[in-house]
């Protein structure tokens, strides 16, 4: 399926209908402000109806917007002003938003491009894992960033994105999530969000970074395969409430932008304290597995570059740049 892009005429038409706050707006007025014929207006209204909008039409009163679907069409999550997220593409169904973002970025898609999908048929997690992506009011989003940084700093974008998601969850649900280094978000000790950051670079400069974020928002545990049900949660399950997805995404994009700006303009120290506010493993005994080794020790936290600090059993401190953390027990 083709992606749906931002369309200014749709954005303006919906804004006009919304500003009437449930009242009719005459067809004549609409076609005048939209600078289109009555027939073209009628066609546009019909295409909106096909996308799930409920619009009442009356021969003399005009059109009234009765209901907008909670679907992240680009014009629904677009923000005017200094938002960097101006190029938004929505897919009803896609293999993976990260894969699509990689393709678009390699073709020159600009900094601030957002790829968002209702459902992924091949959602990807870290280290080759699958990211289960049912179409049940969740969020699957990938961002294309073109920061002027050396490649070794790119993992900091994962940490900054984690803070952006944590803050959004706290603002919208009132519940404070936990961050598990480097990229998981937990509620009730169960994962509801993962971040997959992918890098395309030369030796000394980044071409682009893709930050892919999956958030289990309004889904239920029965939407996932049985083997996962004991390990994961969703915001709906954890708080017994459903959330307006478009409102969540707009807040998320706003918070992510402010974290990325802080990171690129002020460096990682601007993010570190905020990350630590959500860090959940301090002083716990953990195992970090990387491709090379497995290390056991007590979690200390992160250093000024975002690397994980582990106190080994012999008392020395090990700086870990990448790996998977498993918690053992609190001692
Ligand atoms: C992980 O915890 O292993 C990372 C999961 C990342 C999932 C997101 S969903 C949107 C984007 N598209 C993908 O295929 N993966 C990321």
């Amino acid at each position: 399926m083709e992606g749906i892009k931002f369309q200014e005429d749709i954005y303006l038409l919906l804004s006009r209908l919304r500003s009437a706050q449930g009242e009719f707006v005459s067809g004549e007025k609409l076609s005048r402000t939209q600078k289109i014929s009555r027939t073209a207006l009628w066609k546009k209204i019909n295409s909106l109806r096909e996308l799930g909008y409920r619009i009442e039409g009356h021969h003399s009163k005009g059109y009234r917007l009765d209901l907008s679907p909670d679907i992240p069409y680009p014009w629904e999550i677009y923000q005017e002003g200094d938002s960097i997220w101006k190029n938004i593409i929505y897919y009803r169904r896609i293999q993976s938003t990260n894969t699509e973002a990689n393709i678009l970025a390699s073709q020159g898609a600009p900094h601030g491009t957002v790829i968002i999908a209702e459902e992924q048929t091949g959602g990807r997690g870290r280290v080759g894992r699958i990211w289960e992506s049912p179409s049940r009011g969740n969020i699957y989003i990938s961002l294309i960033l073109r920061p002027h940084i050396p490649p070794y700093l790119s993992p900091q974008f994962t940490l900054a994105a984690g803070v952006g998601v944590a803050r959004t969850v706290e603002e919208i649900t009132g519940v404070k999530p936990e961050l598990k280094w480097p990229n998981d978000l937990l509620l009730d000790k169960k994962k509801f969000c993962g971040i997959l950051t992918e890098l395309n670079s030369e030796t000394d400069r980044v071409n682009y970074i893709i930050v892919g974020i999956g958030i289990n928002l309004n889904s239920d545990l029965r939407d996932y395969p049985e083997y996962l049900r004991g390990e994961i949660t969703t915001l709906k399950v954890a708080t017994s409430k459903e959330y307006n997805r478009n409102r969540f995404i707009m807040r998320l994009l706003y918070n992510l932008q402010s974290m990325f700006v802080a990171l690129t303009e002020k460096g990682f120290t601007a993010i570190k304290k905020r990350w630590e506010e959500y860090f959940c493993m301090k002083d716990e005994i953990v195992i970090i597995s990387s491709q090379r080794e497995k290390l056991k020790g007590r979690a200390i936290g992160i250093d000024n570059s975002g690397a994980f600090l582990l106190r080994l059993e012999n008392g020395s401190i090990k700086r870990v740049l990448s790996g998977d953390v498993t918690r053992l027990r609190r001692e």
Side-chain angles (χ1 to χ4, degrees), residues 103-173:
I103 295 171
L104 294 177
S106 68
Q107 294 167 351
H111 175 71
T113 295
V114 179
I115 315 293
I116 187 154
E118 192 69 38
E119 180 182 359
Q120 295 185 118
T121 53
R124 297 192 281 115
R126 281 177 71 226
V127 286
R129 294 194 195 109
I130 291 171
W131 184 257
E132 288 293 338
S133 312
S135 86
R136 282 280 190 267
N138 283 343
I139 296 174
Y140 311 112
I141 194 165
S142 297
L143 312 167
I144 299 176
L145 303 168
R146 297 184 182 275
H148 302 291
I149 55 160
Y152 75 92
L153 290 180
S154 60
Q156 296 178 347
F157 278 78
T158 307
L159 301 177
V163 179
V165 179
R167 197 175 256 199
T168 309
V169 170
E170 196 174 2
E171 283 170 1
I172 297 223
T173 70

Side-chain angles (χ1 to χ4, degrees), residues 286-305:
V286 298
I287 290 186
I288 303 199
S289 335
S290 65
Q291 268 173 334
R292 272 193 318 154
E293 53 190 349
K294 261 190 178 179
L295 293 166
K296 185 175 165 196
R298 196 179 286 272
I300 300 177
I302 50 171
D303 71 5
N304 283 338
S305 71

Side-chain angles (χ1 to χ4, degrees), residues 94-99 115 120 122-127 129-133 139-142 183-185 191 193-198 210-215 324:
I94 200 170
Q95 194 190 6
S96 151
T97 54
N98 260 42
T99 305
I115 315 293
Q120 295 185 118
R124 297 192 281 115
R126 281 177 71 226
V127 286
R129 294 194 195 109
I130 291 171
W131 184 257
E132 288 293 338
S133 312
I139 296 174
Y140 311 112
I141 194 165
S142 297
N183 72 330
D184 293 353
L185 278 102
K191 179 162 169 174
C193 168
I195 301 171
L196 176 66
T197 303
E198 293 178 300
I210 309 290
V211 178
I213 305 173
I215 304 175
D324 244 11

